[in-house]
Amino acid sequence: MKNIVILISGRGSNMQSIVNANIPNANVAAVLSNNPNAAGLAWAAERGIATAALNHKEFASREDFDRAMMQLIDQYAPDLVVLAGFMRILTPVFCRHYENRCINIHPSLLPSFTGLNTHQRAIDEGCRIAGCTIHFVTEVLDNGAIIAQGVVPILDGDTADDVAARVLKVEHQLFPQAVADFVSGSLKIEGKRVMKQNLSDATAQLLA
Ligand code: GRF
């Protein structure tokens, strides 16, 4: 059984999709947040999952917060740390500690549109497609080896909310598959390429 710790900052719908997938050999040991009011914490607690929050505003520096979060996370002996809408930029000390065992979901087709407001920026650039990327976390923001990507169209007249809703559906399909692939040992990082034994559908997904 592999222990998974999921970090969230808000509603936690991606976290819910992972929990609800009942992934074989995966134990969601805890759901943690930097936001004590994150709605997803209550959802997880109702299901008997350990939850806790560390308010980042109460720490003097980014690294102080990261070190405290690492201590909290490590109480659950994680094999995998999943950043599921965790809206914090992480310091190198955190990224190195969880190297090759921490994954993130980002709402764009990386390497395009790192950072925030990804869907509006894609609309503003006239992109025909948008999507999401699940990747290993490295010290460079939104830059680690890519595990899976999902693609949706951007339609005429779409608002950022329209695109976000379309992409979110794909996130909920891809993320549990990517976690399952990690847990089953199917992912091997070779440079920036994640090689997959026993391919699942999580490699890439195109939704018309
Ligand atoms: C997702 O779209 C994720 O890609 C982005 O923030 C959103 C989080 O949603 N980083 P939720 O908290 O998982 O519902």
Side-chain angles (χ1 to χ4, degrees):
M1 195 60 100
K2 304 270 192 211
N3 284 332
I4 299 173
V5 171
I6 306 180
L7 271 53
I8 63 170
S9 293
R11 92 198 131 174
S13 70
N14 277 291
M15 174 274 294
Q16 293 178 25
S17 74
I18 293 166
V19 170
N20 285 337
N22 291 315
I23 297 165
N25 301 315
N27 168 45
V28 178
V31 174
L32 308 176
S33 183
N34 62 311
N35 171 11
N37 299 317
L41 289 174
W43 186 93
E46 277 165 23
R47 279 149 191 84
I49 300 170
T51 60
L54 285 180
N55 189 342
H56 64 272
K57 292 178 186 154
E58 291 170 6
F59 291 83
S61 72
R62 218 171 251 289
E63 189 167 313
D64 284 354
F65 169 79
D66 280 4
R67 286 188 188 279
M69 190 51 105
M70 283 160 58
Q71 269 192 356
L72 182 58
I73 293 170
D74 286 349
Q75 288 174 18
Y76 299 96
D79 297 285
L80 176 65
V81 175
V82 176
L83 310 182
F86 187 60
M87 303 304 284
R88 296 283 304 162
I89 292 178
L90 295 162
T91 57
V93 70
F94 185 103
C95 298
R96 276 187 224 128
H97 185 64
Y98 298 109
E99 190 176 12
N100 297 346
R101 56 186 178 118
C102 181
I103 66 177
N104 178 49
I105 189 155
H106 180 75
S108 81
L109 295 169
L110 291 173
S112 293
F113 307 120
T114 60
L116 297 174
N117 301 321
T118 53
H119 302 312
Q120 188 59 54
R121 287 158 62 205
I123 291 168
D124 292 346
E125 291 292 343
C127 295
R128 311 300 303 190
I129 55 173
C132 60
T133 302
I134 297 156
H135 64 92
F136 282 99
V137 171
T138 64
E139 291 175 37
V140 184
L141 182 70
D142 300 330
N143 187 290
I146 291 171
I147 300 166
Q149 291 187 301
V151 180
V152 302
I154 297 177
L155 304 176
D156 293 347
D158 268 351
T159 64
D161 284 348
D162 294 331
V163 177
R166 202 172 294 130
V167 171
L168 193 66
K169 283 189 197 157
V170 183
E171 295 184 28
H172 294 164
Q173 292 172 37
L174 277 191
F175 217 175
Q177 291 174 13
V179 171
D181 280 348
F182 181 96
V183 166
S184 68
S186 308
L187 305 180
K188 201 163 146 248
I189 307 173
E190 291 186 10
K192 287 211 77 173
R193 181 82 188 171
V194 176
M195 310 297 284
K196 301 186 184 202
Q197 294 113 18
N198 311 319
L199 269 187
S200 84
D201 293 343
T203 307
Q205 189 155 118
L206 303 174
L207 293 192

